[in-house]
Amino acid sequence: MLPLLCICREIRKIAVHTHRKSGLPALYQLASTFSGAPAGLADADTIFALSSGHGKCGVAVVRISGPASSMALRCMAGLRRHLPSPRTALLRSITDPSSKEILDRGLVLWFPGPHSFTGEDSVEFHIHGGPAVITAVLQALGSMPGMRPAEAGEFTRRAFQAGKLGLTEVEGLGDLIHAETEAQRRQALRQMSGDLQRLYQDWSHRLKRCLAHVEAFIDFSEDELIEDGVLERVDSSVVSLQAEIERHLKDERRGERLRSGVHVVIAGATNAGKSSLLNTLCQRPAAIVSSIAGTTRDVVETVLDIGGFPVLLSDTAGLRDSTDLIEQEGVRRARERVQQADLTLVVVDSVLLPCEVQKAADILQENLTSVLPDLKQTNKDRCLLVLNKTDLLPEAHRRELERELNEVSGLPPVCLLSCQTHEGLQDFLSVFHSRLKILCGDPLSGAPTLTQARHRAHLQQCVVALAQYQKLRDTDLALAADGVRLALTSLGRITGKLGAEEILDIIFKDFCIGK
Amino acid sequence: MKLHPVQTLVSRCIGHLSRQRYDVIVVGGGHAGTEAAAAAARMGAETLLVTQKIQTIGALSCNPSLGGVGKGHLVREVDALDGLCGRAGDWAGIHFSILNRRKGPAVWGPRAQLDRQRYREFIQGELLSIKRLTVLEGSVEDLLVTEPNPDEPGSHRVTGICLENVLHPISASSVVLTTGTFLSGSLFVGQTTSPGGRIGDAPSSAGLSRTLKETLGLRVGRLRTGTPPRIVKESVDFSLANVHLPDRHPTPFSFMNTHTRCKPEEQLPCHLTYTTPGVERVVQESLHLNCHIQQDTKGPRYCPSIESRVLRFPGRRHLVWLEPEGLTSDLLYPQGLSMTMPPEVQLRLIREIPALRRAEIHAPGYGVQYDFVCPTQLSSALQVKSTQGLFLAGQINGTTGYEEAAAQGLWAGVNAARQAHSMPPVSLSRTESYIGVLIDDLVSRGVTEPYRMFTSRAEFRTTLRPDNADLRLTPKGYELGCVSSSRYQEATRVQNSLQEAMTALQALTLSTNSCREKLPDIRVSETKSTVLTGMELLQYKELSFEMLASVFPERLSPYLEFSQRLKIEAVYKPHCDINKKEIERIQREENMFLPPDIDYFSLPVSLSNEAREILDRVRPTTLGAATRLEGITPAAVVNLYNYVHFAKKKGVNGQQKMTRSK
């Protein structure tokens, strides 16, 4: 059974999330939100909202759902006689139902229930994206009887109630609405179409069978007929499930990273040009740059889209021993950031490198160790070396470094770059992009990845619970079965579907039981 | 052990009744009825038990056995609340065994084969000697139904019963109906049917069934069950069956008994044999002669007739247990061969089994179809929600089994007595007992087939064990008034001793080194911390409390009496501690009451129409019960939760808004 408070939390989260970003004009937000009271009016209400993003855009989508949808369509699109054929776009003048004033000209679509997103009759108006047009259309809708602005997340909630979406799909939808980059959008789409849902449901189905078989063995085996080998089959199922879930968990947080952004930290000695790199990447003077060592004292953050991947870029104070208390704190914060980073860009002033390649490599290694003391061969792909200020190098020296340094074994990829002239920027970006791709995984290939920390926590519980089964299977089957139950509950918390009666149904389907 | 002498409190004829008004009237003298009447009388209510035949009180209509996996849990709980069936089982048992011995104490199933004669003897002796309980032989013609008390919810009120051929009705504050399979019951053998609930007994009155359906407007459904033919013992060739011996040391059901009446060496064996392809052939050939099996009334999936087993799982060998009917009985009960074909075909069928090839049938098997009242119309006190003063227990609620009936009977009896004393109803939570699981499943989910208890129905199986039923329920029962002070004192003594012993175990420590020295049998892992407490040591499978006590005699030997219980407590403690949080969460939800007259159709909450209909029909009393309803989506629960929460904050105004406008 799904714990109530837990679902409450999840659904509230979705609602709040959607609410925060829902781009209704201020007027409608006031009208629709009554001091956070979550329950809306009865289902008989027809709701409407601007479904596309807020702000300047070419086309805006206004969505209407509920029994009065067809009436709204008739009145506002001048379709007195016939409704348009379902799910077909039709170009119409959109008018105010009382004043008959033409508000805009746009596409209208008719989705009769139950074959709509919410399962109810629905209508979409695709209108021009100017705020004046949007406000006028929303006001016109609000003036009709039985219509009210939707609450935050209400379309999704209605879809969930109509059984159109599972919990993971609802979450995927929230992400889709907020997908800020192309790769995020692709992953959200995958989750929406239920890839993850299908994966979890397959596990859940197999676990249910395991549980049903253990339960049958407990409740029926002794004086009633249960075939031999039931428990052995459960054993092997549990082992393979555990392995699969563990593999899924070992995706190195790729999905989550894609959802919440890759944490990239710029670090290195003072005056190497770390803040210049930040400014170059975000194409604006986000950090103060000067030739004085120790200019940056605190962490400067900015959000970037690098080839479709979300990046949370932090510039940090240069690492050096300082007597300045504030700078000491800055260095401590810098080290903390580096520890938490998914990817570290170690910036080195190329002017300081000697001409001889091997000596240069040694100095780079020293730099690396000072920034990342725990760097091991295995996590070399967690950092990139950026050699800055190449515009100050003699051309021959630059070419030699570029040619030779990437041959030296034991070093992470080396990029030569001038933040001043942007020479080498394209090459750096392509190396950077390929790193991000590895870190996030390609959202359209391979097994679906984990997108939510919540899923991860439940799956980890699931693995622990399956281990409990294996540990106790021979000493106390009741306790072992509890492990399988717990595993199933943990999965059920992700997919939001679990029923106790189902277990008995499987038992009776699989076994001939009777005294 | 002693048996109460049958006293002459029995009033066989209405003229001898000492009063015309009782606190509680119980209709029916089966497992539910006897427990209900006894519990109500223990609670201090003047109680009248009405049954068609005093002679059949305590009769085992079907199998001669008690307990089992899940069912044994119920027997222990009924006993912890001072009910009858546990002690009756100890008195009448002739073959004791604990099922699931190797699967962990939480799922042990105490079970016994019974001597029918002795069981009846014990129950009758016990009932007829309970103070404030009068037993009356008679047939109930109808219920007395009047206008409801306007201060309480409900649209009718039951105020007593009318007996057949008797002019004056008998009135009561509460009536408990435990009519078993007798409500519009019909019996089936081959192609003949006749009205009745059990062979040899008169059918119950049509008036009662009409009143329930028409006057009170209760929704009823129909279920079926069956019983096997009884076989003449000496016609069976036991050499062709496998003998199945009882436990060498019988374990009593009752917390009040240290031993059973039957001596270990006096116990009788059971025998196991199997069906053959010939059995399947006879079933197939006789289907056209079999009315009962052709009907689509729902029968139990887990206790199917031989016909439905063969039809659902053809080509298999099915188990047949040959069980003794008593120490001196000449009959055998073939468990697994319940059948409804014509008697001559039954004989042909059983003779297809080698051990039964010359068997004679004493009485043929038959099927029963009967009405049950959809139990979602009941509250968790087993009271009909729409009718004041009416309680239902046992098969009338769609359950099957003696133990399920006894458990409901006891709880209905407790609540009927409370109602008579104008006290609020009480319920048992599914977090504290199997009885709570049973009743909650019935009233919040309803039934689609006869309901039987399984351990898998209990979410907190590792906490709700047969060994600790006394700790879980006896203090509560004593507080309510259904437990005698002697039992309460015993439970308190046990509880205190266990507590002391566990404190001693916790305080006792042993280094891993001295562990290896003093307890060479247990394999202490090297990596663990160097000091282990007695509690931790006991979690090792190989170590028993006795072994530990021999190392620390002065500190532990006072508790040797509780060796087994302490071992179980130690093994389960970590898991029970984990369960505790979840249990508390559920108890919180169970304390969020939904007003009984809430109007779900106009409730200003986002709920689908389907959800509104379900909520309106079932009317769950708490949010916890609502979460367990089929067809109620998590989203609906969330909305309901928010609404209740919101209404609570708003206080009285919110409450008024939620209730139906009158």
Side-chain angles (χ1 to χ4, degrees):
Chain A
M1 188 182 318
L2 198 55
L4 169 67
L5 297 175
C6 162
I7 323 170
C8 280
R9 222 173 25 245
E10 297 310 335
I11 294 197
R12 274 229 185 103
K13 224 159 67 191
I14 297 161
V16 168
H17 203 188
T18 321
H19 177 73
R20 187 154 31 87
K21 307 234 178 154
S22 74
L24 284 175
L27 173 71
Y28 280 91
Q29 252 174 22
L30 278 176
S32 66
T33 349
F34 44 102
S35 65
L41 300 169
D43 267 353
D45 279 349
T46 298
I47 53 171
F48 61 91
L50 174 69
S51 294
S52 54
H54 189 43
K56 275 179 242 160
C57 50
V59 176
V61 178
V62 173
R63 195 186 247 173
I64 306 157
S65 175
S69 300
S70 62
M71 184 266 295
L73 181 59
R74 283 168 193 274
C75 294
M76 291 184 62
L79 295 157
R80 292 277 163 202
R81 295 215 186 108
H82 305 287
L83 285 167
S85 49
R87 296 174 295 279
T88 311
L90 195 64
L91 184 66
R92 301 294 300 176
S93 290
I94 292 161
T95 55
D96 185 293
S98 42
S99 71
K100 309 292 172 205
E101 181 196 345
I102 294 181
L103 303 173
D104 195 5
R105 203 167 154 75
L107 296 176
V108 297
L109 286 106
W110 164 235
F111 304 92
H115 304 294
S116 70
F117 169 72
T118 54
E120 304 172 321
D121 285 353
S122 299
V123 165
E124 278 181 17
F125 290 157
H126 294 208
I127 51 176
H128 290 99
V133 173
I134 296 171
T135 310
V137 170
L138 292 176
Q139 264 168 352
L141 283 168
S143 70
M144 280 188 277
M147 307 278 291
R148 66 170 171 85
E151 286 172 44
E154 200 175 358
F155 284 97
T156 312
R157 203 164 66 209
R158 288 190 177 193
F160 183 59
Q161 270 170 359
K164 295 271 175 183
L165 299 167
L167 261 182
T168 54
E169 286 170 304
V170 175
E171 278 164 11
L173 192 72
D175 290 346
L176 185 64
I177 294 166
H178 308 127
E180 286 174 358
T181 72
E182 183 59 19
Q184 269 181 330
R185 194 189 61 76
R186 280 202 301 264
Q187 191 181 35
L189 262 180
R190 257 176 81 93
Q191 197 176 358
M192 259 297 288
S193 64
D195 266 4
L196 209 53
Q197 178 100 346
R198 260 195 298 283
L199 178 73
Y200 293 163
Q201 243 152 27
D202 169 58
W203 286 341
S204 167
H205 181 74
R206 282 155 63 192
L207 264 177
K208 261 180 220 160
R209 267 183 92 93
C210 285
L211 183 58
H213 287 200
V214 176
E215 296 294 1
F217 191 78
I218 289 175
D219 271 337
F220 301 101
S221 76
E222 250 168 61
D223 51 352
E224 295 159 278
L225 187 64
I226 290 276
E227 304 83 11
D228 297 336
V230 171
L231 271 197
E232 285 68 22
R233 283 205 295 280
V234 172
D235 292 347
S236 63
S237 267
V238 165
V239 169
S240 63
L241 268 168
Q242 196 184 351
E244 277 172 51
I245 298 174
E246 272 173 347
R247 248 199 323 275
H248 184 63
L249 279 170
K250 274 206 195 106
D251 72 345
E252 314 257 80
R253 292 181 51 244
R254 277 183 308 192
E256 272 170 73
R257 213 175 264 145
L258 181 54
R259 191 165 169 276
S260 56
V262 185
H263 290 249
V264 178
V265 174
I266 305 177
T270 48
N271 237 354
K274 298 180 293 299
S275 301
S276 300
L277 180 60
L278 176 92
N279 290 347
T280 305
L281 286 174
C282 64
Q283 295 165 353
R284 67 189 165 93
I288 302 169
V289 183
S290 82
S291 57
I292 302 163
T295 303
T296 306
R297 292 177 165 201
D298 202 351
V299 176
V300 178
E301 278 185 355
T302 181
V303 180
L304 290 177
D305 175 347
I306 305 281
F309 293 103
V311 169
L312 186 69
L313 189 65
S314 318
D315 179 25
T316 60
L319 302 173
R320 67 166 177 184
D321 294 327
S322 167
T323 48
D324 183 332
L325 281 179
I326 297 174
E327 198 177 345
Q328 276 175 13
E329 175 60 19
V331 170
R332 195 194 61 76
R333 288 185 186 187
R335 294 209 177 274
E336 195 179 78
R337 275 305 159 103
V338 168
Q339 267 181 355
Q340 295 161 354
D342 294 317
L343 180 66
T344 307
L345 305 178
V346 180
V347 183
V348 179
D349 184 349
S350 62
V351 179
L352 301 179
L353 292 178
C355 289
E356 202 186 319
V357 170
Q358 192 50 50
K359 276 190 185 151
D362 290 345
I363 287 182
L364 288 178
Q365 192 63 53
E366 273 168 35
N367 268 288
L368 271 180
T369 327
S370 104
V371 176
L372 297 156
D374 321 318
L375 190 73
K376 291 189 205 85
Q377 207 56 40
T378 47
N379 51 15
K380 278 275 152 65
D381 56 354
R382 290 297 177 80
C383 73
L384 290 180
L385 268 168
V386 180
L387 273 52
N388 191 17
K389 306 189 191 174
T390 51
D391 54 310
L392 301 179
L393 290 183
E395 179 67 12
H397 186 194
R398 192 184 63 77
R399 289 219 171 128
E400 193 182 344
L401 283 178
E402 191 161 27
R403 201 174 51 243
E404 303 286 334
L405 277 177
N406 276 316
E407 305 291 311
V408 179
S409 69
L411 281 185
V414 179
C415 302
L416 281 83
L417 173 70
S418 163
C419 291
Q420 197 67 42
T421 64
H422 291 185
E423 195 185 3
L425 184 61
Q426 270 318 314
D427 290 345
F428 165 69
L429 281 177
S430 78
V431 173
F432 190 19
H433 184 249
S434 64
R435 267 303 108 126
L436 293 173
K437 214 167 172 176
I438 295 168
L439 286 168
C440 296
D442 184 348
L444 281 184
S445 70
T449 46
L450 277 166
T451 51
Q452 302 238 339
R454 184 178 76 87
H455 293 185
R456 176 173 297 277
H458 290 316
L459 289 174
Q460 265 154 356
Q461 273 172 13
C462 188
V463 169
V464 171
L466 289 177
Q468 177 182 334
Y469 169 81
Q470 287 164 313
K471 186 177 153 224
L472 293 167
R473 187 255 199 219
D474 291 320
T475 39
D476 192 310
L477 200 58
L479 289 177
D482 246 28
V484 186
R485 277 195 199 198
L486 204 64
L488 193 52
T489 320
S490 308
L491 259 186
R493 282 177 190 167
I494 300 178
T495 56
K497 284 174 190 163
L498 185 69
E501 277 299 308
E502 289 172 68
I503 303 298
L504 286 169
D505 285 341
I506 297 176
I507 293 181
F508 295 124
K509 212 166 3 174
D510 286 5
F511 301 109
C512 173
I513 288 153
K515 299 213 267 189
Chain B
M1 296 181 83
K2 65 181 200 319
L3 189 68
H4 289 287
V6 178
Q7 294 184 358
T8 46
L9 272 165
V10 196
S11 307
R12 281 170 188 267
C13 118
I14 186 80
H16 295 171
L17 276 185
S18 54
R19 43 174 72 218
Q20 287 298 305
R21 179 178 171 80
Y22 286 85
D23 291 332
V24 175
I25 293 176
V26 177
V27 181
H31 298 268
T34 51
E35 294 287 357
R42 286 202 303 279
M43 295 279 292
E46 282 297 336
T47 307
L48 179 72
L49 172 67
V50 186
T51 177
Q52 285 189 356
K53 271 193 232 163
I54 285 185
Q55 193 201 326
T56 59
I57 288 181
L60 302 163
S61 323
C62 194
N63 51 315
S65 61
L66 186 72
V69 181
K71 289 167 172 275
H73 290 68
L74 285 174
V75 176
R76 297 280 282 177
E77 291 186 356
V78 168
D79 182 69
L81 291 168
D82 230 351
L84 310 173
C85 66
R87 284 177 297 132
D90 290 342
W91 177 264
I94 50 171
H95 170 121
F96 289 85
S97 64
I98 294 209
L99 304 182
N100 275 352
R101 182 73 84 169
R102 286 195 308 272
K103 292 176 203 160
V107 294
W108 282 356
R111 185 176 185 278
Q113 296 298 145
L114 304 175
D115 182 303
R116 290 180 188 278
Q117 190 65 38
R118 285 187 176 182
Y119 195 85
R120 207 160 57 201
E121 187 178 287
F122 183 92
I123 294 283
Q124 290 183 9
E126 203 48 44
L127 270 191
L128 301 178
S129 64
I130 293 178
K131 252 191 266 169
R132 290 182 294 269
L133 174 61
T134 311
V135 180
L136 174 72
E137 198 166 82
S139 204
V140 175
E141 177 73 45
D142 212 340
L143 296 173
L144 282 179
V145 181
T146 62
E147 288 299 305
N149 175 352
D151 300 335
E152 287 167 33
S155 39
H156 303 279
R157 178 179 177 80
V158 167
T159 55
I161 55 166
C162 302
L163 290 169
E164 205 176 58
N165 305 324
V166 177
L167 207 57
H168 299 287
I170 312 171
S171 61
S173 305
S174 325
V175 173
V176 185
L177 281 186
T178 67
T179 50
T181 56
F182 281 80
L183 202 62
S184 308
S186 23
L187 305 174
F188 289 77
V189 188
Q191 288 171 295
T192 61
T193 76
S194 53
R198 178 168 59 196
I199 265 195
D201 290 321
S204 77
S205 125
L208 192 59
S209 144
R210 200 172 45 238
T211 301
L212 289 178
K213 280 189 259 188
E214 286 164 24
T215 316
L216 302 181
L218 296 178
R219 263 176 300 115
V220 300
R222 210 152 167 80
L223 292 172
R224 70 173 180 204
T225 183
T227 193
R230 310 299 196 264
I231 291 170
V232 178
K233 195 174 186 174
E234 59 180 16
S235 67
V236 176
D237 185 351
F238 288 110
S239 68
L240 296 173
N242 307 323
V243 68
H244 198 82
L245 295 175
D247 287 353
R248 202 169 299 164
H249 302 288
T251 311
F253 287 107
S254 175
F255 288 98
M256 298 301 279
N257 288 335
T258 50
H259 59 276
T260 60
R261 179 189 179 195
C262 189
K263 292 199 182 75
E265 64 278 10
E266 288 168 3
Q267 296 186 90
L268 296 182
C270 287
H271 289 84
L272 176 61
T273 180
Y274 300 91
T275 60
T276 59
V279 168
E280 198 168 323
R281 206 177 51 243
V282 175
V283 170
Q284 294 287 3
E285 284 169 6
S286 63
L287 275 184
H288 63 288
L289 302 172
N290 203 329
C291 277
H292 189 62
I293 215 71
Q294 287 159 7
Q295 313 237 345
D296 52 2
T297 311
K298 288 273 180 89
R301 287 182 293 183
Y302 36 77
C303 185
S305 62
I306 188 66
E307 293 97 325
S308 39
R309 287 216 244 175
V310 160
L311 296 176
R312 275 182 50 217
F313 295 93
R316 290 211 205 163
R317 198 169 75 141
H318 301 282
L319 295 182
V320 177
W321 288 95
L322 301 173
E323 302 179 343
E325 292 238 316
L327 280 179
T328 55
S329 169
D330 303 329
L331 302 180
L332 277 182
Y333 179 92
Q335 172 105 262
L337 284 184
S338 114
M339 55 179 92
T340 56
M341 52 199 69
E344 61 281 5
V345 187
Q346 295 192 14
L347 189 65
R348 234 172 71 209
L349 185 147
I350 64 164
R351 289 187 172 179
E352 292 289 341
I353 296 169
L356 303 179
R357 64 191 166 179
R358 275 187 278 275
E360 292 296 338
I361 289 180
H362 169 77
Y366 61 93
V368 189
Q369 290 190 9
Y370 56 97
D371 280 354
F372 74 100
V373 175
C374 300
T376 50
Q377 300 165 102
L378 306 179
S379 72
S380 55
L382 294 174
Q383 182 178 0
V384 176
K385 285 190 243 183
S386 66
T387 308
Q388 299 164 3
L390 182 62
F391 295 79
L392 307 179
Q395 270 171 307
I396 193 172
N397 291 340
T399 61
T400 170
Y402 305 153
E403 303 81 357
E404 288 83 353
Q408 291 171 67
L410 187 144
W411 205 243
V414 165
N415 275 294
R418 283 179 72 85
Q419 147 114 4
H421 296 153
S422 308
M423 288 154 92
V426 281
S427 55
L428 284 170
S429 160
R430 58 192 300 133
T431 60
E432 66 185 337
S433 64
Y434 274 69
I435 304 181
V437 172
L438 165 73
I439 295 176
D440 185 57
D441 279 352
L442 289 178
V443 304
S444 56
R445 282 189 227 266
V447 299
T448 50
E449 63 179 326
Y451 180 100
R452 170 183 153 182
M453 185 43 78
F454 301 114
T455 66
S456 50
R457 298 191 192 270
E459 292 84 353
F460 302 104
R461 185 162 62 186
T462 48
T463 311
L464 311 183
R465 302 187 308 266
D467 65 276
N468 65 8
D470 55 343
L471 306 184
R472 290 185 278 120
L473 294 173
T474 305
K476 181 166 188 168
Y478 182 70
E479 220 172 279
L480 292 172
C482 73
V483 166
S484 70
S485 60
S486 60
R487 181 184 286 268
Y488 176 65
Q489 276 158 20
E490 171 62 9
T492 314
R493 180 187 77 87
V494 171
Q495 186 161 29
N496 293 341
S497 312
L498 287 175
Q499 206 60 57
E500 269 172 42
M502 292 210 279
T503 313
L505 281 168
Q506 204 69 59
L508 180 157
T509 53
L510 209 59
S511 74
T512 24
N513 282 338
S514 49
C515 224
R516 279 181 211 111
E517 188 186 313
K518 290 180 177 165
L519 297 163
D521 294 338
I522 74 163
R523 267 169 283 134
V524 182
S525 71
E526 304 273 341
T527 51
K528 280 266 170 69
S529 65
T530 47
V531 178
L532 289 164
T533 68
M535 213 56 178
E536 286 163 339
L537 281 168
L538 263 192
Q539 284 163 15
Y540 282 88
K541 194 185 175 188
E542 309 85 2
L543 186 70
S544 69
F545 183 80
E546 285 93 338
M547 284 155 76
L548 198 59
S550 67
V551 180
F552 301 97
E554 69 291 349
R555 277 196 271 178
L556 296 182
S557 58
Y559 310 110
L560 275 171
E561 176 192 354
F562 304 108
S563 301
Q564 191 179 54
R565 292 188 68 161
L566 285 166
K567 170 81 185 168
I568 297 174
E569 290 289 344
V571 170
Y572 280 86
K573 187 161 187 306
H575 301 271
C576 292
D577 289 348
I578 295 172
N579 273 350
K580 222 176 187 172
K581 230 167 114 190
E582 186 72 1
I583 288 178
E584 281 162 9
R585 182 189 63 74
I586 291 191
Q587 283 172 346
R588 267 200 310 280
E589 282 170 17
E590 281 176 347
N591 284 329
M592 298 185 79
F593 291 99
L594 298 170
D597 50 355
I598 188 167
D599 183 0
Y600 287 105
F601 288 107
S602 67
L603 199 66
V605 167
S606 174
L607 288 173
S608 70
N609 279 333
E610 190 202 356
R612 286 175 196 272
E613 270 162 31
I614 295 168
L615 289 166
D616 182 65
R617 194 177 66 229
V618 179
R619 308 212 139 261
T621 40
T622 66
L623 198 67
T627 59
R628 290 186 285 274
L629 292 179
E630 251 168 82
I632 297 296
T633 59
V637 173
V638 171
N639 287 330
L640 209 55
Y641 165 83
N642 284 332
Y643 195 80
V644 174
H645 209 65
F646 189 58
K648 214 197 243 168
K649 273 196 195 151
K650 282 210 137 185
V652 186
N653 287 340
Q655 283 287 329
Q656 277 172 352
K657 257 173 72 185
M658 288 169 79
T659 54
R660 200 176 294 167
S661 49
K662 287 188 175 127

